[in-house]
Every structure is written in structure tokens, then in C-alpha cells.
Amino acid sequence: MWGGMYLEAGKNLSSSRPIKVLLAKPAIDGHDRGIFVLARALRDAGMDVIYAGLLPTPEEVVDIAVSEDVDVIGLSLLNGAHMSAFSKVVDLLKEKGINDIAVVGGGIIPDDDKPLLEKIGVTGNFGPGTPLNVITEHIRKRGEEARRMKEM
Amino acid sequence: MDTDSIVKGILSRDTRSISRAISIIEEGNSRGYDIVRSIYRKTGHSHIIGITGPPGVGKSTMIGMLSRMLAKQGKKVAIIAVDASSPFSGGAILGNRIRMQNVLSEYGIFMRSVSSRGSNGGLSLATWDIAKVLDAAGNDFIIIETVGAGQSDIDIVYLADTVIVTLAPGLGDSIQAIKSGMMEIGDIFVINKIDRDGSYIAMKDILDNVYKRDEWLPAVVGTDSLTGEGYDKLLEAISSHQAYNERYGKKKIVRYREEVRMALMHEMEIHVDRIMNSMIASEDMNLSYDEDSDPETTAKKLLPIAFKSIVQDETG
């Protein structure tokens, strides 16, 4: 029992890097209350979270994701630009030959758009009212997949 | 990405290689050690600037302005920003980047957010090796922002060539409070937000409290990070401290010794974990609660056994 606790404490300090997530709103959209709530939920779930700030371009989002070597990019838009903005991010990742960063979406996304986003690899696409643990668990799952790709 | 191509990538300033190398170093396993060993001979050229100070004085915004000025002079700059991780979940919200993103995008400056991972001195253990990666990548300046917890953020004094302590007017009593810790580590003191009320009192407070260490009298500069006011003086102070280091510099030795000490501590910690676990598992050691022997006495009794075990383990 004691030995177990001892190892646990040592482990928390050094080994195993937390899943790293970049949260971004890659278009003209200033509604950031939701993404702040999500940032806190992800932190409480033990992840490292970076918020890209207001009004980053898709190019900036991808540059930040590369510099920070994140596992997941979480994109959120409430203004209806998700189809063009999310796919721009996906295209830029593809252009750079990056296949080890997962893209997860959320915001005000009509049901008809969800399969189209899934098709280009943007999963989740959570709307208002989704329980936070559903989002954090999905991000963790995608993050772990991305981490396995990185280790290959 | 394999280690060889990462090393090659670092030396040719490839962002993805640098970025991946930092992640591997943060994982703290032998691959990180392999990378650092392979690039070590290419390090030692960067001027490391450490920025510390209490939360909210404008460290991140200052780094944005400072790196813009340096980039404009044609210098290659890279930034490491350390933020606190939660002691409960281990997670972190790394928020320094948004204060400087415009500058980073405009000048293509590499910046990496790092979580402190339970370290208390204002840096994470990995920060030291991350600095080596950015050094080997050929940066003229590496700017490191500490957590910003105030008095205890003093690890930076060993890592940085120039330590900038950032303060702001209106901190009142907290300026008094940090006098003991921070007043001793600054090579340059910056009163940021100089446009605010009370900035001259804050300047005077600091001027009254700086004193010569070796041959260097810390510079005191007032800045406004939105307009850029005072930044010419800050750059001047940085380059004269750089010149001072070159003349009298002991920073390289100080840093090297601290790094050897930390590496030694790390090795010891691994041994202690191993020895503790084997003692707990062993029947005849029977390391359990002892009402007659206080923990320190027990540890002292175990010391010779521990040393013997370390020697055996290291010599095979």
C-alpha cells in the first residue's frame, strides 16, 4: 500500500506527458465564454490546454498546433463559418503532411453538416447542452489516438 | 520521426523537429537524453534572457514587445513560457501565448508553452534541455518566462544569462514583500505599465534597493509595453549586461554546475525509489512503522546500505 503510493507520487512528477489541446475559434467570432468553460474542464481532466485567443486565422491555428506539438485541435464556431473554416484547418494540416494531430469540432453546427465534417476528419461536433465529460472524454480518446501516431 | 532526423532538423531550424524534440524532452525518458547529447556541442551561443515577476505585471506582453524589437534588428529569437500546472489534476491552462501571438505570427518567432509539472522554482525540469534545443537551432536570444509566482521563482537565476525582474506600479505592499527574494536575482529591473499612477514611486522604491553585485549595478528601466516607451533603454541594458557577462562572466560555469547538480539529484532519486521499493519488498529489511526510531534516524541507519546498493548498481 505504502509502496504503491510512493511510486504514484514519483510518477506524477516526471513521466507521461499530459494530452495537449489547442482550442481555437478560427474565424470572426467573439463568443468565447463556452471555450473558457471547456478549457477549464480539460484542465480539470488533467490535460494541457492552450487557447489561441480571439480571431486567429486557420494558418495561425496550424502554426500554433505545430509549435506546441499538440495532440488535438479543438475548433469552435458559433457564427456559421464552420464548413469553410474547419476544412481550411484540415487542408492546411494535410498540406504540411501532418497526420498525428486530431481535429475536433463544436459550436452551432446544423445536423446536416455533421456527416460532412466527419468525412473530412472533424469529429465530435458538439452543440450546446452537451455534458462536459462527453466532450473531454472524446478529446481524450482522439488525443490518445494522435499520441499513438506520434510514437510510430 | 526518428532521433537522427530530429537532430538534423533541429540544426536546420525545422519547426516540426524542434517542436517534437521538446515534447520528447518533456516526456523525460532516455530519448530526450539522446537528443540533448547529440546537439550539445552545437550549444552555448544563445543569450538566455529570463523574465520573472509577480502575476499580472505584463511579463508576456513585454516578451512580445521585446522579441519584436530584437527581430527587427535581425536577431533570431525563440521563446519558452512556463505556466503553472494544477497540483490536483496535473492539467494546465497555458495562457501566455495570446499576449504575444501577433508578434509571433508577424516575425515567425518560435514560441513554446510549457507547464511547470509540479516544479516549484518557476521552471519545469525540462526547461533547461528545451533551452539547449533552441540554442542548437541557432537562436541569438532565448527568452524564458517563469511561472510568475513571485518570491520562489528563482531557478531562473541559474539558467539565464540575464535575469529581468518585472514589476508594475501599484503593487504596494507586494513590492515590499518581494524585496528579499527578487531584489537579489535581477540583473535588470523593469517597472512596466509606466503610464500608471505611482510609477515614479515604484521606480524610486527599486532604485533605493538595488546594489552592486560583483561589478554589475542592476539597471532600472521604466517601460510601457503598448507604446514601446522605454524599450530602447531596456535593449541597451540587455546588451551592456551581455558585454559585462563576456568580460566577467561566470554564468556559464554557474549554469553548468547547477545542471550537473540537478542531473545528479535526478539519478539519486531514481536510486532512492529503487532502493525504497526493494526494502519494502524484502522480508528481512522489514521497513515498517517503528515507534522507537524516528524517520530521520531510520534513514541515517539505512544510508550505508543505500550507498552500497548504488555502487553495486552502477558498477554492475
Side-chain angles (χ1 to χ4, degrees), chain B residues 52-55 84 119-123 146-158 177-183 185:
Chain B
T52 187
S119 275
N120 293 323
L123 302 174
T146 74
V147 170
Q151 274 175 312
S152 64
D153 271 24
I154 54 165
D155 281 358
I156 192 68
V157 80
Y158 298 109
I178 55 170
K179 273 174 188 166
S180 46
M182 293 229 156
M183 290 307 295
I185 64 165

Side-chain angles (χ1 to χ4, degrees), chain A residues 43 47 49 60 66-69, chain B residues 19 23 89 92 94 105 113:
Chain A
R43 179 201 67 188
M47 301 182 214
V49 188
E60 277 179 326
V66 170
S67 295
E68 297 285 358
D69 199 20
Chain B
S19 170
S23 301
S89 73
L94 307 165
S105 302
S113 316

Side-chain angles (χ1 to χ4, degrees), chain A residues 6 13-17 20 43-44 46-49 51-53 60 64 66-69 96 100 150, chain B residues 16 19-20 23 26-27 89 91-94 97-98 101 105 110 112-113 115 117 273 276-277 280:
Chain A
Y6 193 72
L13 256 185
S14 52
S15 64
S16 85
R17 200 164 50 92
K20 201 167 183 182
R43 179 201 67 188
D44 292 343
M47 301 182 214
D48 278 353
V49 188
Y51 173 48
E60 277 179 326
I64 296 171
V66 170
S67 295
E68 297 285 358
D69 199 20
K96 289 181 186 262
D100 53 12
K150 285 188 170 75
Chain B
R16 277 185 80 189
S19 170
R20 186 55 50 87
S23 301
E26 284 193 292
E27 272 154 28
S89 73
I93 294 179
L94 307 165
R97 178 175 279 277
I98 57 174
Q101 187 58 46
S105 302
F110 182 87
R112 181 65 172 249
S113 316
S115 65
R117 310 290 303 282
D273 278 356
M276 282 296 288
N277 284 325
I280 289 161

Side-chain angles (χ1 to χ4, degrees), chain A residues 19 26 32 45 75 91 95-96 104 129:
Chain A
I19 296 288
D32 54 8
L75 297 174
D91 289 347
E95 246 171 60
K96 289 181 186 262
V104 172

Side-chain angles (χ1 to χ4, degrees), chain B residues 26-68:
Chain B
E26 284 193 292
E27 272 154 28
N29 54 36
S30 63
R31 256 191 101 194
Y33 174 45
D34 287 342
I35 292 173
V36 174
R37 238 180 347 173
S38 316
I39 58 164
Y40 185 71
R41 281 164 172 277
K42 303 280 184 190
T43 65
H45 308 291
S46 304
H47 183 94
I48 302 177
I49 300 175
I51 312 261
T52 187
V57 295
K59 294 186 290 297
S60 303
T61 313
M62 197 177 110
I63 289 173
M65 187 52 105
L66 189 59
S67 54
R68 177 203 300 264

Side-chain angles (χ1 to χ4, degrees), chain A residues 19-80:
Chain A
I19 296 288
K20 201 167 183 182
V21 184
L22 170 66
L23 295 179
K25 301 173 76 68
I28 301 174
D29 179 2
H31 305 89
D32 54 8
R33 180 58 51 201
I35 214 158
F36 285 166
V37 172
L38 185 57
R40 255 177 73 168
L42 292 169
R43 179 201 67 188
D44 292 343
M47 301 182 214
D48 278 353
V49 188
I50 294 159
Y51 173 48
L54 284 179
L55 315 179
T57 63
E59 286 81 1
E60 277 179 326
V61 171
V62 171
D63 283 349
I64 296 171
V66 170
S67 295
E68 297 285 358
D69 199 20
V70 300
D71 303 301
V72 182
I73 302 177
L75 297 174
S76 158
L77 281 178
L78 280 65
N79 68 353

